[in-house]
């Protein structure tokens, strides 16, 4: 498992947030920055739902046209920019199915929500990745002692008794250390929501 977001991914997320804010203020160049950063992921979502490359390209164009018109609706306190855009792309693709704008090759609208295979949707994967990154960021914020014991217990499968023996402390002490660490971890995660 990764130890949290890489500096590059955190930097990319902040750059995307800044571009969204610039677009909301009417900066045309921001749309190009957003397009370059998101086109591959958003195209994948559209293609998965529509099942046709041309249809997915048309839906993606709709996404960016509508984004240009509605960028001011994005609220960075409610969602990350990529999560918001992924949901936006999914909704645009499904709208195309519902309004009948789709040529042959697309799946029926009833199949758009429960996709044929059981793989998670791209937007779900993005949200899960962000949540995982936040967990690792919060774990890194713990003191070294708590961080090490929590990782050993929850990621390596060590029992509290094994950890207490390794650290040469009573079992109750180890339980208290981990409980306090988990409380700090929970507070960090709740503050990031």
């Amino acid at each position: 498992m990764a130890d949290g977001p890489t500096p590059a991914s955190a930097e990319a997320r902040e750059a995307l947030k800044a571009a969204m804010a610039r677009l909301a203020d009417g900066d045309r160049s921001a749309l190009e920055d957003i397009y370059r950063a998101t086109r591959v992921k958003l195209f994948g979502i559209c293609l998965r739902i529509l099942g046709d490359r041309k249809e997915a390209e048309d839906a993606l164009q709709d996404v960016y046209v509508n984004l240009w018109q509605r960028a001011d609706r994005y609220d960075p306190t409610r969602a990350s920019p990529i999560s918001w855009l992924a949901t936006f792309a999914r909704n645009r693709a499904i709208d195309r199915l519902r309004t009948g704008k789709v040529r042959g090759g697309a799946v029926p609208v009833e199949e758009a929500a429960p996709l044929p295979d059981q793989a998670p949707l791209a937007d779900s994967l993005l949200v899960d990745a962000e949540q995982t990154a936040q967990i690792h960021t919060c774990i890194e914020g713990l003191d070294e002692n708590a961080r090490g014991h929590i990782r050993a217990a929850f990621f390596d499968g060590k029992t509290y008794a094994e950890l207490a023996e390794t650290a040469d402390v009573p079992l109750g002490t180890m339980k208290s250390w981990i409980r306090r660490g988990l409380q700090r971890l929970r507070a960090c995660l709740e503050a990031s929501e």
Side-chain angles (χ1 to χ4, degrees):
M1 279 192 169
D3 288 332
T6 63
S9 66
E11 193 174 296
R13 186 177 307 117
E14 290 306 313
L16 188 54
K17 278 184 185 178
M20 291 289 287
R22 288 184 6 243
L23 184 62
D25 290 338
D27 181 352
R28 290 178 181 252
S29 67
L31 186 59
E32 185 178 335
D33 295 340
I34 294 167
Y35 175 78
R36 275 195 310 260
T38 62
R39 71 182 183 269
V40 173
K41 290 177 183 173
L42 300 185
F43 178 74
I45 293 167
C46 294
L47 182 60
R48 178 114 181 178
I49 292 169
L50 296 168
D52 179 82
R53 186 170 191 83
K54 178 66 177 136
E55 291 297 335
E57 289 169 357
D58 290 348
L60 189 62
Q61 182 177 348
D62 287 348
V63 168
Y64 290 110
V65 167
N66 282 293
L67 176 61
W68 170 250
Q69 298 167 345
R70 299 178 181 163
D72 60 330
R73 294 185 183 178
Y74 170 66
D75 181 358
T77 63
R78 297 189 65 201
S80 71
I82 194 64
S83 297
W84 188 77
L85 289 167
T87 301
F88 195 62
R90 181 178 183 278
N91 291 344
R92 293 305 302 155
I94 291 173
D95 286 348
R96 288 184 68 79
L97 289 175
R98 286 188 180 135
T99 60
K101 290 183 180 178
V102 179
R103 294 179 292 274
V107 298
V109 71
E110 298 78 30
E111 292 181 30
L115 295 173
D117 66 355
Q118 297 303 312
L121 293 172
D123 54 340
S124 297
L125 291 174
L126 294 170
V127 170
D128 290 346
E130 287 191 357
Q131 289 171 341
T132 299
Q134 186 58 43
I135 289 169
H136 286 288
T137 298
C138 288
I139 287 174
E140 286 303 312
L142 297 174
D143 62 76
E144 187 177 338
N145 192 31
R147 180 174 57 237
H149 294 311
I150 288 173
R151 280 198 171 135
F154 292 94
F155 297 139
D156 299 336
K158 301 282 185 185
T159 66
Y160 289 2
E162 290 171 329
L163 292 171
E165 184 178 322
T166 303
D168 197 26
V169 297
L171 178 61
T173 300
M174 181 57 63
K175 288 180 179 181
S176 294
W177 287 353
I178 291 176
R179 185 181 69 249
R180 285 193 299 268
L182 290 174
Q183 288 170 338
R184 289 191 301 272
L185 180 62
R186 181 179 179 185
C188 176
L189 291 171
E190 287 175 351
S192 69
E193 289 181 349

